Short mmCIF file of all heavy atoms in Angstrom, two decimals:
data_model
loop_
_atom_site.label_atom_id
_atom_site.label_comp_id
_atom_site.label_asym_id
_atom_site.label_seq_id
_atom_site.Cartn_x
_atom_site.Cartn_y
_atom_site.Cartn_z
N PRO A 49 129.68 103.08 116.57
CA PRO A 49 130.31 102.01 117.37
C PRO A 49 130.60 102.41 118.87
O PRO A 49 131.15 103.47 119.07
CB PRO A 49 131.60 101.67 116.61
CG PRO A 49 131.37 102.21 115.28
CD PRO A 49 130.55 103.39 115.42
N GLY A 50 130.25 101.44 119.79
CA GLY A 50 130.52 101.73 121.18
C GLY A 50 129.52 102.53 121.87
O GLY A 50 129.66 102.84 123.09
N TYR A 51 128.40 102.94 121.22
CA TYR A 51 127.46 103.75 121.86
C TYR A 51 126.85 102.97 122.97
O TYR A 51 126.43 101.80 122.78
CB TYR A 51 126.38 104.23 120.87
CG TYR A 51 125.54 105.35 121.39
CD1 TYR A 51 126.08 106.61 121.56
CD2 TYR A 51 124.19 105.19 121.77
CE1 TYR A 51 125.30 107.69 122.04
CE2 TYR A 51 123.40 106.23 122.27
CZ TYR A 51 124.00 107.42 122.41
OH TYR A 51 123.22 108.47 122.85
N PHE A 52 126.69 103.62 124.18
CA PHE A 52 126.27 102.92 125.32
C PHE A 52 124.81 102.38 125.30
O PHE A 52 124.52 101.27 125.68
CB PHE A 52 126.34 103.75 126.58
CG PHE A 52 125.76 103.21 127.82
CD1 PHE A 52 126.42 102.17 128.47
CD2 PHE A 52 124.61 103.68 128.32
CE1 PHE A 52 125.90 101.56 129.68
CE2 PHE A 52 124.02 103.16 129.46
CZ PHE A 52 124.66 102.08 130.18
N LEU A 53 123.91 103.27 124.64
CA LEU A 53 122.41 102.92 124.62
C LEU A 53 122.15 102.44 123.16
O LEU A 53 122.04 103.27 122.32
CB LEU A 53 121.70 104.02 125.02
CG LEU A 53 120.13 103.81 125.15
CD1 LEU A 53 119.83 102.86 126.31
CD2 LEU A 53 119.41 105.11 125.25
N SER A 54 121.95 101.16 122.93
CA SER A 54 121.71 100.69 121.60
C SER A 54 120.54 99.82 121.36
O SER A 54 120.18 99.53 120.19
CB SER A 54 122.90 99.89 121.16
OG SER A 54 123.08 98.70 121.99
N ARG A 55 119.74 99.47 122.43
CA ARG A 55 118.55 98.64 122.24
C ARG A 55 117.36 99.20 123.01
O ARG A 55 117.60 99.83 123.99
CB ARG A 55 118.88 97.17 122.62
CG ARG A 55 120.05 96.51 121.87
CD ARG A 55 120.18 95.08 122.23
NE ARG A 55 119.21 94.27 121.74
CZ ARG A 55 119.12 93.75 120.51
NH1 ARG A 55 120.05 94.00 119.67
NH2 ARG A 55 118.06 92.99 120.15
N GLN A 56 116.22 98.88 122.48
CA GLN A 56 114.98 99.42 123.08
C GLN A 56 114.69 99.10 124.50
O GLN A 56 114.38 99.81 125.33
CB GLN A 56 113.80 99.14 122.20
CG GLN A 56 113.94 99.56 120.68
CD GLN A 56 114.21 101.01 120.48
OE1 GLN A 56 113.63 101.85 121.13
NE2 GLN A 56 115.09 101.29 119.54
N ASP A 57 114.90 97.72 124.79
CA ASP A 57 114.62 97.24 126.11
C ASP A 57 115.63 97.88 127.14
O ASP A 57 115.25 98.09 128.25
CB ASP A 57 114.76 95.71 126.17
CG ASP A 57 113.63 95.01 125.56
OD1 ASP A 57 112.60 95.65 125.36
OD2 ASP A 57 113.65 93.78 125.31
N GLN A 58 116.87 98.16 126.73
CA GLN A 58 117.81 98.83 127.50
C GLN A 58 117.35 100.25 127.93
O GLN A 58 117.44 100.73 129.05
CB GLN A 58 119.20 98.83 126.83
CG GLN A 58 120.28 99.56 127.64
CD GLN A 58 121.54 99.76 126.88
OE1 GLN A 58 121.56 99.53 125.61
NE2 GLN A 58 122.62 100.26 127.46
N ALA A 59 116.75 100.92 127.00
CA ALA A 59 116.25 102.18 127.16
C ALA A 59 115.03 102.21 128.08
O ALA A 59 114.87 103.00 129.06
CB ALA A 59 115.88 102.90 125.89
N VAL A 60 114.13 101.33 127.82
CA VAL A 60 112.89 101.19 128.69
C VAL A 60 113.24 100.80 130.18
O VAL A 60 112.69 101.32 131.08
CB VAL A 60 111.97 100.17 128.10
CG1 VAL A 60 110.82 99.82 129.11
CG2 VAL A 60 111.40 100.65 126.76
N ALA A 61 114.28 99.97 130.32
CA ALA A 61 114.76 99.62 131.68
C ALA A 61 115.22 100.82 132.31
O ALA A 61 115.01 101.05 133.57
CB ALA A 61 115.83 98.50 131.66
N ALA A 62 115.98 101.71 131.65
CA ALA A 62 116.49 102.92 132.25
C ALA A 62 115.38 103.83 132.65
O ALA A 62 115.33 104.43 133.71
CB ALA A 62 117.43 103.61 131.33
N ILE A 63 114.32 103.99 131.69
CA ILE A 63 113.25 104.85 131.94
C ILE A 63 112.49 104.36 133.23
O ILE A 63 112.13 105.14 134.13
CB ILE A 63 112.29 104.89 130.74
CG1 ILE A 63 112.98 105.69 129.58
CG2 ILE A 63 110.98 105.51 131.07
CD1 ILE A 63 112.31 105.57 128.34
N GLU A 64 112.26 103.05 133.36
CA GLU A 64 111.53 102.52 134.48
C GLU A 64 112.37 102.58 135.74
O GLU A 64 111.78 102.92 136.84
CB GLU A 64 111.15 101.10 134.23
CG GLU A 64 110.01 100.98 133.03
CD GLU A 64 109.71 99.56 132.69
OE1 GLU A 64 110.43 98.65 133.08
OE2 GLU A 64 108.68 99.38 132.06
N ALA A 65 113.67 102.47 135.68
CA ALA A 65 114.44 102.67 136.91
C ALA A 65 114.53 104.05 137.36
O ALA A 65 114.52 104.18 138.61
CB ALA A 65 115.91 102.17 136.53
N VAL A 66 114.55 105.04 136.55
CA VAL A 66 114.51 106.42 136.96
C VAL A 66 113.12 106.78 137.56
O VAL A 66 113.03 107.51 138.52
CB VAL A 66 114.93 107.25 135.78
CG1 VAL A 66 114.72 108.77 136.11
CG2 VAL A 66 116.35 107.06 135.40
N GLY A 67 112.12 106.32 136.83
CA GLY A 67 110.75 106.54 137.34
C GLY A 67 110.24 107.99 137.21
O GLY A 67 109.34 108.30 138.03
N ALA A 68 110.76 108.73 136.33
CA ALA A 68 110.27 110.14 136.12
C ALA A 68 109.23 110.25 135.04
O ALA A 68 109.46 109.63 133.94
CB ALA A 68 111.45 111.09 135.84
N ASP A 69 108.07 110.85 135.26
CA ASP A 69 107.05 110.83 134.26
C ASP A 69 107.48 111.57 132.99
O ASP A 69 106.87 111.31 131.90
CB ASP A 69 105.79 111.63 134.81
CG ASP A 69 105.13 110.81 135.92
OD1 ASP A 69 105.38 109.56 135.98
OD2 ASP A 69 104.32 111.41 136.69
N ASN A 70 108.43 112.46 133.08
CA ASN A 70 108.82 113.26 131.83
C ASN A 70 110.05 112.67 131.14
O ASN A 70 110.59 113.25 130.24
CB ASN A 70 109.14 114.69 132.25
CG ASN A 70 110.35 114.81 133.16
OD1 ASN A 70 110.58 113.98 133.98
ND2 ASN A 70 111.09 115.92 132.98
N LEU A 71 110.48 111.43 131.59
CA LEU A 71 111.53 110.80 130.86
C LEU A 71 110.95 109.75 129.88
O LEU A 71 110.29 108.85 130.25
CB LEU A 71 112.48 110.00 131.84
CG LEU A 71 113.60 109.21 131.29
CD1 LEU A 71 114.58 110.13 130.46
CD2 LEU A 71 114.42 108.45 132.34
N ARG A 72 111.21 110.07 128.56
CA ARG A 72 110.47 109.23 127.49
C ARG A 72 111.52 108.76 126.53
O ARG A 72 112.67 109.11 126.50
CB ARG A 72 109.48 110.18 126.78
CG ARG A 72 108.55 111.06 127.62
CD ARG A 72 107.61 110.19 128.44
NE ARG A 72 106.70 109.37 127.54
CZ ARG A 72 105.75 109.74 126.80
NH1 ARG A 72 105.40 111.05 126.78
NH2 ARG A 72 105.08 108.92 126.16
N LEU A 73 111.04 107.88 125.63
CA LEU A 73 111.83 107.24 124.61
C LEU A 73 111.74 108.01 123.34
O LEU A 73 110.70 108.32 122.92
CB LEU A 73 111.26 105.80 124.42
CG LEU A 73 111.92 104.96 123.31
CD1 LEU A 73 113.36 104.66 123.66
CD2 LEU A 73 111.16 103.68 123.21
N GLN A 74 112.88 108.19 122.74
CA GLN A 74 113.02 108.81 121.43
C GLN A 74 113.17 107.60 120.50
O GLN A 74 114.28 106.99 120.44
CB GLN A 74 114.13 109.77 121.27
CG GLN A 74 114.31 110.42 119.91
CD GLN A 74 115.39 111.50 119.97
OE1 GLN A 74 115.40 112.31 120.94
NE2 GLN A 74 116.26 111.58 119.00
N PHE A 75 112.11 107.17 119.82
CA PHE A 75 112.11 105.94 119.08
C PHE A 75 112.40 106.20 117.56
O PHE A 75 111.59 106.72 116.79
CB PHE A 75 110.76 105.27 119.11
CG PHE A 75 110.70 103.91 118.50
CD1 PHE A 75 111.05 102.84 119.28
CD2 PHE A 75 110.26 103.65 117.23
CE1 PHE A 75 110.99 101.51 118.72
CE2 PHE A 75 110.21 102.40 116.62
CZ PHE A 75 110.62 101.34 117.47
N ASP A 76 113.65 105.88 117.20
CA ASP A 76 114.07 106.07 115.85
C ASP A 76 113.99 104.81 115.12
O ASP A 76 114.70 103.82 115.40
CB ASP A 76 115.58 106.58 115.86
CG ASP A 76 116.00 107.06 114.51
OD1 ASP A 76 115.83 106.28 113.51
OD2 ASP A 76 116.57 108.06 114.41
N LEU A 77 113.14 104.70 114.12
CA LEU A 77 112.83 103.45 113.43
C LEU A 77 114.04 102.99 112.56
O LEU A 77 114.28 101.85 112.42
CB LEU A 77 111.62 103.63 112.45
CG LEU A 77 110.31 103.77 113.26
CD1 LEU A 77 109.37 104.71 112.68
CD2 LEU A 77 109.62 102.39 113.31
N TYR A 78 114.82 103.91 112.15
CA TYR A 78 116.07 103.60 111.39
C TYR A 78 117.03 102.83 112.27
O TYR A 78 117.51 101.75 111.90
CB TYR A 78 116.72 104.82 110.87
CG TYR A 78 118.11 104.68 110.40
CD1 TYR A 78 118.42 104.24 109.10
CD2 TYR A 78 119.24 105.13 111.17
CE1 TYR A 78 119.70 104.12 108.63
CE2 TYR A 78 120.55 105.05 110.77
CZ TYR A 78 120.81 104.49 109.49
OH TYR A 78 122.04 104.41 109.02
N HIS A 79 117.33 103.32 113.49
CA HIS A 79 118.23 102.69 114.38
C HIS A 79 117.57 101.28 114.84
O HIS A 79 118.40 100.29 114.92
CB HIS A 79 118.49 103.51 115.62
CG HIS A 79 119.20 104.77 115.25
ND1 HIS A 79 120.55 104.77 114.70
CD2 HIS A 79 118.96 106.06 115.52
CE1 HIS A 79 120.96 105.96 114.49
NE2 HIS A 79 120.06 106.81 115.00
N CYS A 80 116.30 101.24 115.13
CA CYS A 80 115.81 100.04 115.58
C CYS A 80 115.74 98.91 114.50
O CYS A 80 115.99 97.81 114.84
CB CYS A 80 114.35 100.30 116.05
SG CYS A 80 113.46 98.90 116.85
N GLN A 81 115.49 99.32 113.29
CA GLN A 81 115.53 98.37 112.18
C GLN A 81 116.95 97.68 112.07
O GLN A 81 117.00 96.50 111.87
CB GLN A 81 115.11 98.98 110.86
CG GLN A 81 115.29 98.05 109.66
CD GLN A 81 114.40 96.91 109.58
OE1 GLN A 81 113.43 96.79 110.43
NE2 GLN A 81 114.60 95.99 108.63
N ILE A 82 117.97 98.52 112.23
CA ILE A 82 119.31 97.98 112.05
C ILE A 82 119.75 97.06 113.22
O ILE A 82 120.31 95.97 113.01
CB ILE A 82 120.34 99.16 111.95
CG1 ILE A 82 120.15 99.77 110.63
CG2 ILE A 82 121.81 98.66 112.11
CD1 ILE A 82 120.90 101.15 110.55
N MET A 83 119.26 97.44 114.43
CA MET A 83 119.65 96.59 115.59
C MET A 83 118.70 95.44 115.90
O MET A 83 119.11 94.45 116.35
CB MET A 83 119.65 97.53 116.86
CG MET A 83 120.74 98.57 116.85
SD MET A 83 122.41 97.94 116.72
CE MET A 83 122.57 97.11 118.29
N GLU A 84 117.34 95.57 115.61
CA GLU A 84 116.38 94.70 116.09
C GLU A 84 115.34 94.27 115.12
O GLU A 84 114.78 93.15 115.24
CB GLU A 84 115.76 95.28 117.40
CG GLU A 84 116.74 95.57 118.53
CD GLU A 84 116.09 96.23 119.68
OE1 GLU A 84 115.22 95.54 120.33
OE2 GLU A 84 116.31 97.39 120.00
N GLY A 85 114.91 95.16 114.20
CA GLY A 85 113.86 94.87 113.32
C GLY A 85 112.44 94.84 114.08
O GLY A 85 112.30 95.34 115.17
N ASP A 86 111.44 94.15 113.47
CA ASP A 86 110.14 93.90 114.09
C ASP A 86 109.60 95.28 114.50
O ASP A 86 109.09 95.40 115.68
CB ASP A 86 110.30 93.00 115.21
CG ASP A 86 109.01 92.20 115.55
OD1 ASP A 86 108.10 92.21 114.70
OD2 ASP A 86 108.93 91.65 116.67
N LEU A 87 109.54 96.16 113.59
CA LEU A 87 109.21 97.57 113.89
C LEU A 87 107.74 97.86 114.38
O LEU A 87 107.60 98.51 115.47
CB LEU A 87 109.49 98.51 112.70
CG LEU A 87 110.95 98.50 112.22
CD1 LEU A 87 111.05 99.40 111.02
CD2 LEU A 87 111.89 99.03 113.30
N VAL A 88 106.79 97.20 113.81
CA VAL A 88 105.48 97.40 114.21
C VAL A 88 105.21 96.92 115.59
O VAL A 88 104.63 97.56 116.46
CB VAL A 88 104.44 96.74 113.21
CG1 VAL A 88 103.06 96.81 113.76
CG2 VAL A 88 104.48 97.62 111.92
N ARG A 89 105.75 95.69 115.92
CA ARG A 89 105.59 95.15 117.23
C ARG A 89 106.34 95.96 118.29
O ARG A 89 105.79 96.13 119.41
CB ARG A 89 106.09 93.66 117.33
CG ARG A 89 105.21 92.74 116.44
CD ARG A 89 103.82 92.64 116.99
NE ARG A 89 102.99 91.69 116.27
CZ ARG A 89 102.03 92.14 115.49
NH1 ARG A 89 101.82 93.41 115.26
NH2 ARG A 89 101.37 91.29 114.77
N HIS A 90 107.42 96.54 117.94
CA HIS A 90 108.13 97.46 118.83
C HIS A 90 107.27 98.66 119.10
O HIS A 90 107.10 99.08 120.30
CB HIS A 90 109.48 97.87 118.22
CG HIS A 90 110.61 96.94 118.57
ND1 HIS A 90 111.06 95.97 117.76
CD2 HIS A 90 111.42 96.79 119.69
CE1 HIS A 90 111.99 95.27 118.32
NE2 HIS A 90 112.31 95.83 119.47
#
């Protein structure tokens, strides 16, 4: 509860704002299913 980064689009926006080639997404399907679902499309 209260974790600052909880959704995929929020993470992607941060990655794009920073603009570093070596900043990547750690995609945890367990967390994504609980928050958003639609795993294959994600």
Side-chain angles (χ1 to χ4, degrees):
Y51 195 71
F52 173 73
L53 184 69
S54 61
R55 301 185 70 85
Q56 305 303 319
D57 283 349
Q58 182 189 6
V60 170
I63 289 169
E64 291 178 345
V66 171
D69 290 341
N70 67 325
L71 179 58
R72 311 293 304 282
L73 177 66
Q74 184 171 317
F75 187 84
D76 190 312
L77 288 140
Y78 167 81
H79 293 305
C80 186
Q81 172 66 9
I82 291 171
M83 295 299 295
E84 304 177 63
D86 205 17
L87 297 178
V88 169
R89 292 294 178 256
H90 273 96

